[in-house]
Structures are given as C-alpha cells and as structure tokens.
C-alpha cells in the first residue's frame, strides 16, 4: 500500500480493486492480524485471504482462510520473534515441500530474508540469527543486480557485508522510497536484472534517503518543541501537526525516545484523521497501552516498543490525555535512565586483529544480540572535532600513553565543547574502511569524564 493514500496494511478499496481484476487470493505480509473489518470485506467479496503477520493479535482474530502468526494464542511454533519476512519465508518453504519445487527454492531468497529481518529490528537470536547468517552468505556473492547497486551507493563492500551494514546502510535506503513516495522503487530495485535500471534506482533511493534524513531532523526539532511546550515534565512525549510528513513521523518519534528515554508519539493530522507512530522504552508496552484506548481508535497495532494508530481528530485530545495518564501511572515511580551494558573492561593494548577474529565468530550480531562492548578508562583525547550534518557526531583519537586509536562517536558531537583532559569510553571495536584503507576504530557508545 501507498502509506500516503492508503495508510498502512489492508484496506477495503484495495481488496475490491483486486477482486475486480479477477484476483482470487490475497496473501498479506507483515500485516493483517488486526484487520477484522477488512477480512470480513474480503470474505463478502468471495476473496480468499491468507494473513501472514508477526504483530501481536487483538482479542479477536480476523475471519480469514488462514492466519499464520506465531504470536496467536495456542500457536505451538517455538520461534515467536520471526520478522514479517521470516513468516513469509516459512510459507514459501512450505509451498516448496508441497509442490516439490526445486527450480527456484525458497532458500535462494534468504538474502532478502536477511535484509528484511535486520531492517525490521527483529532480535538476532534463535532462528532469526540462522536465517540472517545464511542470507549474509548469499549477499557476499550477490546475484541480484539491484542489491549490488544498492551496496555501491551505500559504500558497502559485498564480500564483507554485515548485519550492521543492513541496519545502517541498506535498510534505510530501501525504506526511504516508501517514506517519501511510494515503495515501488525499492521493489523494482530488488527484482530488476537490468544494470542501468538498477543503477538509476539505487541513485534515486540514495537521493530520497538524504531527503528523508533532512525532513526527519526538521520534524524531530518541531515535535520536540511541541511536546515540551505541552508539558515539560511529561512522561510521554506527544506531538501532532498537519505539516508533518506521515512517512517519517516514526523516525522522529524514535529519535525523541532515544534522546529523552520516554515513550514518544508523533503524528500527521489530516482533515478528518490523525495517523501517528509510537516508539517506547522497555518499561512501557506501547501496544498494550493502545489496546486500553481502543474505543477511541479506528486502527492500531504493533509491538511492545513500536506501534501505530489512526484516530478521528475529535478523539485526539482525549486519546493524548488517556495515554499520558497510563504512562504516568506506569512510569512515575521509576528511575527512567537508559542502561548500557559492557562485556569487559580492557586496556587499549589488548585490542587488535586477534580480538577482531574472535568477534567475527559471533556474527551476526544486532538487535537482541548485541555486538560485544568494551570499557577503557583514563584515556587522553589526542585530537577531536565534530563531523556530519549539524556537527552532530564526534571524530577523535584517544591514547592510553602507549597506543593510540581513532574513534567515532555518533550523536555525541556536544562533547567537543566540553572535552575533559581524561575520559572513560564505552565502545565497540571494529574495522573502519575508507578510500580502500582498513584501520582499527572504536565505535563509541558513551563517554564520561575519568574520576
């Protein structure tokens, strides 16, 4: 669906149009588990509907021909955290067995499964980790021209592609198409065999991703001002505006949650409805909170940490008040501070190629299965400067008196104006590849002055 014209997920108009074209069967991916009205509409049309989804079901399941969702009550499948693309892969693999398909087996698509699993922030444990590991093996010898072109614009080396490259390089560029326009460009990129078309589409996604980044920064700033003006002490940040781009409100909400460690809701207010995206913290299950406000909502759904909803504008103020009350009741007595965990404290002299080899054995790492983090103390900043848009990031070199390492600290640019003489760092140890040169680098997650 085009999120600007149709919103998210199933809609009756699309189902009617498909039926009019002679379609007999619709299979959803990553949506539909709460589409009760749409499922009834499909049934009334005589349209078979198979729902494949990984979101949390509501109290009632849709009346579909089949519902495939490991989170539904009574489902015995042990892997509950498959991404939407993982559920679709399972369906394809089952069809392989049923049809005895060997010409184009589902395993040939594991590169796309890896791409979707990481980009959808599914935890990289259990079966997800296996699927991503196998998918990365395919991506390192890319057979899809579009994927090769996308890696080119993202600066990703195919033979060394990692889950991190998907999460920060490939995924955002694919998502940019649907956030600013329709998602067809991303679909065409992943299916084309034409080198020129793939190159042009990859360049288009690169351009759209840069636009998306700029729009996100503007909306984040405006939403932050609106939410704090509404209530500077609020335990839930809430901001809606007619001028917000509905395609990136979720990204803005994510930035606010990251900055303030509070649930955040950012939405675009239309003439009749407001469509909003929610991001939350471990202490507050946002979809359960929306469930308690279901009488005010037209549609809603999601996970513990991320959700979306549509509400009539006349119910918007009451919804904001009720969600704020729920957040206050749940969070008021808690010390809301994000916690970072390190695996080991280590001197800089122990960092090197052998350690990187060990760390590589643990791949793929990512959401739910984090890359190893280290702490080193009493380091001297040798040199430092801000880099990136709005000088948001910090580039520096640090020394313990014996060895010196380059480091990058994303979204910690403010430290350039208050750098102590000695600092403690929490970081990940990695290889930085730039202009054909590969060097050791500390990817800093947090800084504090040495005591």
């Amino acid at each position: 669906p085009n999120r600007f014209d149709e919103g998210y997920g199933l809609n009756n108009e699309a189902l009617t149009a498909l039926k009019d074209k002679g379609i007999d069967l619709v299979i959803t991916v990553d949506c539909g588990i709460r589409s009760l009205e749409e499922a009834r509409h499909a049934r009334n049309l005589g349209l078979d509907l198979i729902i494949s989804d990984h979101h949390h079901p509501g109290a009632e399941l849709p009346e579909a021909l089949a519902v495939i969702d490991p989170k539904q009550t009574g489902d015995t499948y042990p892997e509950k955290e498959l991404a939407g693309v993982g559920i679709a892969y399972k369906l394809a693999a089952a069809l392989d067995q049923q049809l005895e398909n060997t010409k184009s087996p589902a395993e040939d698509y594991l590169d796309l499964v890896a791409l979707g699993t990481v980009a959808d922030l599914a935890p990289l444990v259990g079966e997800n980790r296996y699927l991503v590991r196998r998918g990365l093996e395919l991506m390192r010898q890319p057979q899809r021209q579009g994927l090769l072109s996308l890696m080119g614009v993202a600066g990703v080396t195919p033979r060394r592609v990692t889950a991190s490259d998907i999460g920060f390089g490939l995924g955002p560029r694919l998502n940019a198409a649907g956030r600013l326009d329709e998602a067809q460009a991303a679909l065409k990129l992943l299916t084309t065999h034409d080198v020129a078309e793939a190159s042009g589409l990859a360049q288009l996604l690169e351009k759209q991703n840069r636009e998306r980044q700029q729009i996100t920064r503007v909306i984040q700033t405006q939403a932050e001002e609106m939410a704090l003006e509404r209530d500077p002490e609020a335990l839930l940040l809430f901001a809606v505006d007619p001028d917000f781009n509905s395609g990136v409100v979720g990204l803005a909400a994510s930035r606010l949650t990251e900055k303030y460690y509070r649930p955040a809701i950012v939405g675009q207010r239309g003439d009749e409805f407001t469509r909003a995206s929610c991001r939350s913290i471990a202490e507050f299950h946002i979809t359960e909170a929306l469930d308690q406000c279901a009488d005010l909502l037209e549609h809603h759904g999601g996970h513990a940490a991320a959700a979306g909803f549509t509400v009539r504008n006349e119910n918007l103020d009451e919804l904001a008040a009720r969600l704020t009350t729920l957040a206050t009741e749940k969070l008021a007595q808690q010390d809301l501070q994000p916690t970072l965990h390190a695996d080991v404290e280590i001197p800089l002299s122990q960092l090197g190629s052998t350690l990187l080899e060990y760390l590589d054995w643990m791949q793929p790492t990512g959401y739910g299965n984090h890359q190893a983090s280290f702490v080193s103390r009493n380091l001297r900043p040798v040199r430092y400067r801000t880099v990136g848009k709005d000088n948001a990031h910090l580039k520096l070199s640090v020394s313990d008196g014996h060895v010196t390492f380059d480091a990058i600290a994303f979204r910690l640019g403010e430290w350039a104006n208050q750098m102590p003489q000695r600092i403690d760092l929490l970081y990940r140890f990695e290889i930085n590849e730039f202009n054909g040169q590969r060097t050791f680098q500390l990817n800093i997650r947090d800084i504090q002055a040495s005591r």
Side-chain angles (χ1 to χ4, degrees), residues 34 265 278 284-295 297 299-302 306-309 319 323 326:
R34 291 179 178 239
I265 297 173
C278 320
F284 190 69
H285 194 303
I286 188 63
T287 299
E288 288 182 357
L290 292 174
D291 286 342
Q292 296 182 57
C293 304
D295 56 303
L297 299 170
H299 302 284
H300 74 285
F309 65 80
L319 175 66
L323 287 171
L326 289 171

Side-chain angles (χ1 to χ4, degrees), residues 138-208:
L138 290 181
M139 291 176 70
R140 286 172 186 143
Q141 295 179 320
Q143 301 300 307
R144 300 181 203 283
Q145 185 60 49
L147 200 51
L148 187 61
S149 296
L150 188 66
M151 290 181 185
V153 299
V156 172
T157 303
R159 68 180 181 277
R160 286 193 289 271
V161 64
T162 65
S164 180
D165 291 325
I166 296 175
F168 295 100
L170 307 180
R173 286 167 172 81
L174 286 170
N175 273 327
R179 293 190 182 279
L180 296 187
D181 196 359
E182 58 180 10
Q184 292 296 323
L187 174 63
K188 289 178 182 176
L189 178 73
L190 293 175
T191 54
T192 185
H193 300 286
D194 185 271
V195 175
E197 183 181 30
S199 177
L201 288 168
Q203 293 292 339
L204 173 63
L205 293 183
E206 174 71 12
K207 177 176 178 289
Q208 289 180 324

Side-chain angles (χ1 to χ4, degrees), residues 19 178 204 220 227 405 427 438:
K19 182 62 179 177
L204 173 63
Q220 177 193 343
F405 280 97
Y427 59 90
R438 304 182 80 227

